[in-house]
Amino acid sequence: GQNIDQPTEMTATEGAIVQINCTYQTSGFNGLFWYQQHAGEAPTFLSYNVLDGLEEKGRFSSFLSRSKGYSYLLLKELQMKDSASYLCAVREDSGNTPLVFGKGTRLSVIA
Amino acid sequence: EAQVTQNPRYLITVTGKKLTVTCSQNMNHEYMSWYRQDPGLGLRQIYYSMNVEVTDKGDVPEGYKVSRKEKRNFPLILESPSPNQTSLYFCASSLSGTAGNTIYFGEGSWLTVV
């Protein structure tokens, strides 16, 4: 079976830091993706983790702990344009298998 | 410019009237897939294709068909649409379906079945 959990909604203040958590229970694991999706638009790629640890890319960082089935996306220096849904997705094995998406976390950045 | 193009972007149709949503990518990607996105349910995969003439069911294939006659195109066919197929549909592609290959999404197609 497969289960990916993220909080449904979060609110944070402009300029602050926010951490969006994702926990997963899948039959296998071969990488975790984070996508950003603005309302009514296509998801766009943010980050990919396959090994434990932190991957940093500008204001966004993503962390993975495979033993805990846990990842987080860290957004620093929040801007109003960061208001969007953030999708966690897991690839279960190394073959040509589909990504399994969580339901997404809707982040609202307020002034 | 590398892109995934879907058409139509917006469509209102009636129950039972066959429709096709086209998808084309210009990145020479082997892997293509279709998702639907519904409030509270997230992105769910309908069908995917690992290469030309190879297609497989995803999580919610009922009521849909696909074909992959050419590498760049992956149309989604609704033979007899029903209101429960009202949704936002995304086509996506990646170099292959393995490991860290990034998935690129089309802009989405809003479909309403009345």
Side-chain angles (χ1 to χ4, degrees), chain A residues 2 30-31 33 35 37 39-45 48 87 91 93-104, chain B residues 9 31 35 37 40-43 45 48 50 59 88 90 94 96-107 110:
Chain A
Q2 49 190 233
N30 198 42
F33 293 79
Y35 280 82
Q37 185 180 23
E41 297 183 10
T44 54
F45 171 78
Y48 170 70
L87 313 179
R91 194 180 300 283
D93 68 41
S94 59
N96 277 315
T97 54
L99 280 183
V100 179
F101 281 86
K103 295 177 182 178
Chain B
R9 295 287 319 282
Y31 187 91
Y35 292 85
Q37 189 172 37
L41 296 176
L43 277 166
Q45 191 172 59
Y48 65 98
M50 292 186 285
D59 296 322
L88 174 59
F90 288 103
S94 64
S96 75
T98 57
N101 284 293
T102 302
I103 289 183
Y104 297 87
F105 287 87
E107 292 183 313
W110 292 90

Side-chain angles (χ1 to χ4, degrees), chain A:
Chain A
Q2 49 190 233
N3 192 36
I4 299 176
D5 285 317
Q6 314 175 226
T8 304
E9 294 188 41
M10 298 182 71
T11 301
T13 306
E14 192 175 17
I17 299 173
V18 71
Q19 177 174 311
I20 303 174
N21 295 324
C22 171
T23 57
Y24 62 89
Q25 292 173 302
T26 52
S27 55
F29 180 82
N30 198 42
L32 186 145
F33 293 79
W34 283 96
Y35 280 82
Q36 180 191 59
Q37 185 180 23
H38 286 98
E41 297 183 10
T44 54
F45 171 78
L46 286 179
S47 68
Y48 170 70
N49 296 69
V50 67
L51 300 176
D52 291 351
L54 188 69
E55 295 278 341
E56 297 187 76
K57 196 183 288 187
R59 293 190 298 116
F60 293 9
S61 304
S62 57
F63 171 83
L64 175 67
S65 168
R66 289 172 296 171
S67 63
K68 295 180 180 175
Y70 168 69
S71 173
Y72 67 72
L73 180 69
L74 193 71
L75 291 76
K76 304 175 187 174
E77 301 168 18
L78 279 173
Q79 302 175 11
M80 301 299 283
K81 67 179 182 179
D82 297 329
S83 292
S85 288
Y86 292 86
L87 313 179
C88 172
V90 172
R91 194 180 300 283
E92 289 190 285
D93 68 41
S94 59
N96 277 315
T97 54
L99 280 183
V100 179
F101 281 86
K103 295 177 182 178
T105 299
R106 187 162 65 236
L107 173 68
S108 298
V109 180
I110 58 176

Side-chain angles (χ1 to χ4, degrees), chain B:
Chain B
E1 182 189 350
Q3 58 187 4
V4 180
T5 304
Q6 314 178 208
N7 279 295
R9 295 287 319 282
Y10 304 92
L11 180 64
I12 300 174
T13 190
V14 296
T15 299
K17 184 177 180 182
K18 179 180 177 180
L19 70 93
T20 299
V21 186
T22 63
C23 175
S24 180
Q25 50 92 6
N26 63 0
M27 295 171 278
N28 202 36
H29 284 169
E30 290 183 352
Y31 187 91
M32 298 185 75
S33 58
W34 276 101
Y35 292 85
R36 60 178 289 175
Q37 189 172 37
D38 302 288
L41 296 176
L43 277 166
R44 294 180 294 167
Q45 191 172 59
I46 303 170
Y47 269 94
Y48 65 98
S49 169
M50 292 186 285
N51 214 325
V52 176
E53 302 293 0
V54 180
T55 63
D56 277 294
K57 294 178 180 179
D59 296 322
V60 288
E62 294 78 19
Y64 304 95
K65 287 173 59 176
V66 292
S67 68
R68 189 90 182 273
K69 293 185 171 58
E70 306 164 281
K71 199 171 189 178
R72 63 182 292 133
N73 295 324
F74 190 46
L76 178 69
I77 303 156
L78 286 74
E79 292 275 2
S80 183
S82 62
N84 65 11
Q85 291 179 297
T86 293
S87 188
L88 174 59
Y89 291 86
F90 288 103
C91 180
S93 75
S94 64
L95 191 60
S96 75
T98 57
N101 284 293
T102 302
I103 289 183
Y104 297 87
F105 287 87
E107 292 183 313
S109 295
W110 292 90
L111 173 64
T112 301
V113 184
V114 298

